[in-house]
Amino acid sequence: MTTNTANPLLQPWTTPYGLPPFADIRAEHFVPAFEEALRLHVAEIRAIADAPAPPSFDNTLAAFDRSGRALSRIEKVFFNLTSSETTPALQAIEREMSPCLAAHHSAIYLDAALFARVDDVHRHRGELDLTPEQLKLLQRVHFDFERAGARLSESAKARHAAIVERLATLSTRFAQNVLADEAGYRLRLTEERDMAGLPQDLRAAAHEAARERGESAAGLITLSRSLIVPFLTFSERRDLREAAFKAWIRRGEDDGDHDNRPIARETLALRNELARLHGYRSYAEFALVDRMAGTPVAVAQLLAQVWEPAKARAATESDALRATALAHGATHPIEPWDWRFYAEKVRKAHYGFDGAELKPYFALDRMLGAAFDTAERLFGLRFAERRDLPAYHPDVRVFEVRGRDDRVVGIFLSDNFARQSKRGGAWMSAYRNQSRVDGETIPIIVNNNNFAKGAPGEPTLLSADDARTLFHEFGHALHGLLSQVTYDRLAGTNVLRDFVELPSQIFEHWAFEPEVLKRHALHCVTGERIPDALIAKLKEAQRWNQGFETVEYTACALVDMALHARTDADGVDISEFERTELARIGMPREIVLRHRLPHFGHLFQGGAYAAGYYVYMWAEVLDCDGYDAFVEAGSPFDPDVAERLRRYIYSSGGTLDPAVAFRAFRGRDPVVGPMLASRGLVDEREPA
Ligand SMILES: [Zn+2]
């Protein structure tokens, strides 16, 4: 039996900066720790809700923000590990605990005595002399209570709680099914002819994937994006491309144990019911109230400006692909598994640019150094590696982050390689938020990527896309690290969903700034600087295939909005819905959704992006227009623009209304033009 004294999750953490003592934490510690922390949190909540003193901001809102630290500490360790370094034991605990935790959080927001106190403070907010940040916390918490059903009748509350709990279970199963389908697929490359066309680094990555899985094949292609996308781009073997592509887009859609279709169907029905409980006709309407966009109409207007021009551009690209295929003697029509292959050939022929020529300049360590240097030049941050600090996997690097006054402002964990125990994609997460409510608390932030690791002794080389992803996630990390707020609930990335991608996406612009590349993109063998001509070609080539990229993305956003705008409460067959909807919007037949519904984690894992996949494009309007402020100032490191960016965007967390924050940074409201221009969707001819 595990006693509490032996359980590191229930002890104070005496590690430097209070990092989790990863080496001491074992799977069996979690359930007893969760149970104890849940008990503690319930007691804290009861003390706030049943306090004899009349409700005040301090004894209700500040106390609420301060509560649940022990639980949050354990939850953050647990869910970060189940994402980055999971095991069957952790997965089993996840299945067991997810509904309990959802029920616990749901119960807090349905606590009538607690809500009565929050509501009382909210009603008297005008008389309380609150700071703007306190008012923001009050509004946020009050809104969260309403959203969680605090105003509903007793029977509706019970139903609400049951729905939320069930959705958590469905979400976990959805994610685990996708992971299982990805892990279960292996395209074995056994002979030299199976490798035809593959560049050296992809061969090495495929070989490494085989070795890690104990396979004797010379190479292995899994459904991890970092292997399958380059395979589809370079493999001369059309039959293998077709087989791999078809498996890739069928994740979550096969009959049997890992079928996500019934899970999605039930999820959608429950979401619709949830929206109706709150008086909305559709889940999209319900979700958009808590976004900068405000209504589905505002989203539809943005997507409509993009969709037809994107299709027109994709059609032009498709013609170029067909011509190239014919020139190579291929008379077949362009199928989805051909697009990336011929797009790469066009890129090479027309733009004199070859992804493989670039990669030696984009060594992972150099690009990480470039991201750190950019953060230093913009915001005065310095990153120093601490090899003595604990991490959960040998590949994770831990950095101390210091500000201009040399004080440590945060800890940054950098976890870059794909492995079987890590979920797909790239993301930022926190082990601890910045706050001051309990004394100065510095944030502990992690970035996860899924780059294919270089062979032992060889550097890991990134594609341009990988480098962009690295900067994107690092932009999210800076949002967490630069946070300067009082309350935990308003810290860092605790902002509206269509605003949260602004700090990440604007940071991508620096990845390809010539000034950054000239300093950091040094050849991994010769150490020579990236040539100007290659930078120019890179910029030029980035325009190519934007029709495809925009169609692939925007179609997902349109399907998501349509799916969640449905007003009938019955679930829907997502495969059928997807087919019908794509036909309706005129999806080009050679392009497949970037994420098909049966594995669309943004919508069905956690659900934070349900009726919200559009947010990347919404934020892109903000980031392109925002970056133009540096262009107008004449330098990508203009100190005044950088300081406004830090103050109003990266440091303000949820303390400002997003529209107000953007206006304070930019001096005016955002405009769409720079986004359309950067995607090449408007005619950019210089005036005569
Ligand atoms: Zn992001």
Side-chain angles (χ1 to χ4, degrees):
M1 166 153 177
T2 317
T3 62
N4 287 353
T5 47
N7 190 333
L9 294 171
L10 293 169
Q11 303 301 311
W13 292 344
T14 53
T15 40
Y17 305 116
L19 278 160
F22 291 111
D24 303 333
I25 297 171
R26 294 194 304 275
E28 62 264 32
H29 292 137
F30 279 104
V31 171
F34 271 128
E35 284 169 353
E36 177 60 24
L38 285 166
R39 261 197 301 279
L40 199 65
H41 194 203
V42 168
E44 286 172 329
I45 292 295
R46 284 271 54 82
I48 300 169
D50 303 337
S56 68
F57 178 85
D58 206 49
N59 73 18
T60 308
L61 276 305
F64 183 66
D65 194 63
R66 210 179 276 127
S67 72
R69 285 298 159 89
L71 177 60
S72 156
R73 191 175 77 152
I74 298 164
E75 280 179 316
K76 285 186 157 75
V77 172
F78 181 73
F79 289 108
N80 274 303
L81 289 180
T82 57
S83 295
S84 303
E85 181 61 2
T86 198
T87 62
L90 289 177
Q91 287 187 319
I93 297 167
E94 193 180 8
R95 284 190 295 272
E96 180 187 343
M97 289 308 302
S98 288
C100 301
L101 291 167
H104 168 78
H105 292 294
S106 172
I108 289 172
Y109 285 101
L110 294 174
D111 185 315
L114 181 59
F115 179 63
R117 290 178 73 89
V118 171
D119 199 36
D120 185 274
V121 180
H122 188 254
R123 262 184 285 114
H124 295 99
R125 63 191 179 281
E127 309 145 31
L128 299 176
D129 205 20
L130 300 176
T131 67
E133 184 176 348
Q134 288 174 330
L135 186 60
K136 206 72 193 167
L137 179 72
L138 172 58
Q139 286 168 335
R140 181 73 245 170
V141 171
H142 189 259
F143 183 80
D144 287 344
F145 270 90
E146 288 192 333
R147 296 283 277 192
R151 285 204 191 282
L152 299 179
S153 70
E154 283 313 310
S155 64
K157 270 186 195 175
R159 181 62 192 147
H160 198 282
I163 292 173
V164 170
E165 192 175 332
R166 179 68 184 153
L167 285 173
T169 301
L170 294 170
S171 162
T172 303
R173 281 179 50 202
F174 189 95
Q176 293 185 353
N177 285 347
V178 175
L179 201 57
D181 276 0
E182 286 179 359
Y185 181 82
R186 293 173 184 200
L187 176 68
R188 292 178 182 82
L189 309 176
T190 49
E191 307 166 40
E192 179 51 34
R193 57 186 215 98
D194 298 340
M195 305 270 195
L198 306 191
Q200 200 45 51
D201 64 307
L202 179 55
R203 286 171 184 243
H207 181 73
E208 184 61 17
R211 200 188 57 81
E212 269 180 14
R213 287 162 183 77
E215 289 261 355
S216 59
L220 198 65
I221 298 300
T222 69
L223 299 181
S224 160
R225 196 170 264 275
S226 67
L227 284 172
I228 184 101
V229 170
F231 184 76
L232 292 168
T233 306
F234 294 108
S235 174
E236 302 274 352
R237 285 284 301 273
R238 190 166 192 247
D239 59 330
L240 298 185
R241 290 203 311 266
E242 180 176 353
F245 185 85
K246 285 182 168 166
W248 190 41
I249 65 165
R250 279 189 68 83
R251 284 168 295 150
E253 203 182 24
D254 277 319
D255 299 331
D257 291 350
H258 303 137
D259 189 355
N260 272 335
R261 287 169 295 183
I263 294 173
R265 176 181 210 125
E266 189 181 348
T267 300
L268 290 162
L270 290 173
R271 282 183 184 156
N272 189 274
E273 190 183 345
L274 197 69
R276 284 169 183 278
L277 282 174
H278 286 275
Y280 296 91
R281 289 182 315 144
S282 72
Y283 190 78
E285 286 181 7
F286 173 69
L288 266 293
V289 173
D290 197 22
R291 302 264 173 74
M292 189 177 174
T295 61
V297 174
V299 175
Q301 280 169 350
L302 172 63
L303 298 178
Q305 288 186 71
V306 173
W307 181 239
E308 292 302 328
K311 274 198 295 182
R313 212 179 144 88
T316 313
E317 290 166 2
S318 182
D319 291 344
L321 302 190
R322 206 161 294 121
T324 302
L326 275 172
H328 284 78
T331 51
H332 58 73
I334 298 295
E335 297 292 346
W337 47 91
D338 299 319
W339 189 292
R340 288 176 176 81
F341 178 73
Y342 287 110
E344 180 63 17
K345 291 215 181 305
V346 174
R347 192 192 306 276
K348 215 167 162 175
H350 293 231
Y351 298 89
F353 181 83
D354 164 3
E357 193 187 337
L358 187 73
K359 283 186 111 173
Y361 294 97
F362 279 10
L364 170 62
D365 288 355
R366 293 245 183 248
M367 287 300 107
L368 190 62
F372 289 169
D373 186 43
T374 300
E376 179 167 1
R377 295 175 76 186
L378 288 171
F379 309 126
L381 295 182
R382 281 174 302 111
F383 291 74
E385 184 155 15
R386 286 278 307 260
R387 290 177 200 277
D388 56 316
L389 296 185
Y392 51 88
H393 187 279
D395 286 344
V396 181
R397 299 173 67 188
V398 184
F399 296 86
E400 211 171 53
V401 188
R402 289 176 191 269
R404 286 206 169 92
D405 59 3
D406 208 40
R407 284 197 318 181
V408 176
V409 297
I411 300 296
F412 176 61
L413 277 62
S414 181
D415 183 352
N416 288 312
F417 300 122
R419 52 178 174 264
Q420 281 175 282
S421 54
K422 191 194 275 196
R423 73 172 166 89
W427 67 95
M428 165 273 196
S429 175
Y431 281 89
R432 190 173 67 210
N433 290 335
Q434 179 271 335
S435 74
R436 298 191 191 110
V437 70
D438 244 354
E440 195 72 42
T441 302
I442 63 164
I444 302 172
I445 304 297
V446 60
N447 267 176
N448 273 274
N449 287 298
N450 265 290
F451 302 139
K453 195 176 182 175
E458 297 289 319
T460 295
L461 301 180
L462 305 185
S463 66
D465 259 2
D466 291 339
R468 182 198 309 279
T469 301
L470 182 79
F471 270 66
H472 177 101
E473 297 310 331
F474 190 68
H476 282 308
L478 290 174
H479 200 190
L481 291 166
L482 286 165
S483 176
Q484 288 291 324
V485 306
T486 304
Y487 301 104
D488 184 285
R489 271 187 172 68
L490 300 178
T493 53
N494 285 320
V495 297
L496 300 191
R497 187 62 61 181
D498 41 7
F499 193 68
V500 77
E501 298 299 332
L502 169 58
S504 53
Q505 292 183 179
I506 197 169
F507 206 75
E508 291 176 28
H509 291 262
W510 280 278
F512 303 114
E513 258 308 325
E515 202 178 323
V516 174
L517 292 174
K518 295 301 281 184
R519 263 165 103 125
H520 298 283
L522 308 183
H523 195 280
C524 66
V525 178
T526 64
E528 149 211 24
R529 257 173 231 295
I530 188 168
D532 288 328
L534 191 54
I535 296 180
K537 280 196 270 182
L538 170 65
K539 288 246 170 208
E540 184 83 347
Q542 280 179 340
R543 293 290 175 92
W544 165 241
N545 215 28
Q546 277 296 307
F548 172 86
E549 303 267 350
T550 308
V551 164
E552 195 193 32
Y553 166 82
T554 308
C556 285
L558 288 165
V559 169
D560 165 37
M561 288 306 290
L563 190 62
H564 288 99
R566 294 171 70 259
T567 52
D568 52 324
D570 288 338
V572 63
D573 177 331
I574 50 167
S575 298
E576 178 58 33
F577 181 86
E578 185 185 289
R579 256 193 306 280
T580 313
E581 191 58 22
L582 290 178
R584 198 184 64 76
I585 63 175
M587 182 74 166
R589 57 167 291 285
E590 324 82 305
I591 304 180
V592 170
L593 291 170
R594 183 174 171 86
H595 307 283
R596 291 199 50 238
L597 290 174
H599 47 257
F600 204 158
H602 295 77
L603 310 195
F604 297 109
Q605 285 165 229
Y609 289 83
Y613 194 63
Y614 78 88
V615 302
Y616 298 97
M617 185 161 276
W618 186 273
E620 195 176 324
V621 171
L622 307 180
D623 77 68
C624 289
D625 189 30
Y627 193 75
D628 263 13
F630 286 95
V631 176
E632 287 161 18
S635 162
F637 296 99
D638 182 87
D640 296 333
V641 181
E643 176 51 21
R644 288 202 305 275
L645 181 64
R646 185 199 63 77
R647 181 164 172 202
Y648 296 113
I649 306 295
Y650 281 97
S651 295
S652 62
T655 64
L656 296 175
D657 181 70
V660 171
F662 189 87
R663 215 173 290 135
F665 156 56
R666 191 66 172 96
R668 56 162 174 72
D669 287 331
V671 293
V672 181
M675 183 278 281
L676 296 175
S678 95
R679 285 186 175 253
L681 299 179
V682 286
D683 197 353
E684 265 198 299
R685 276 171 306 188
E686 296 290 323

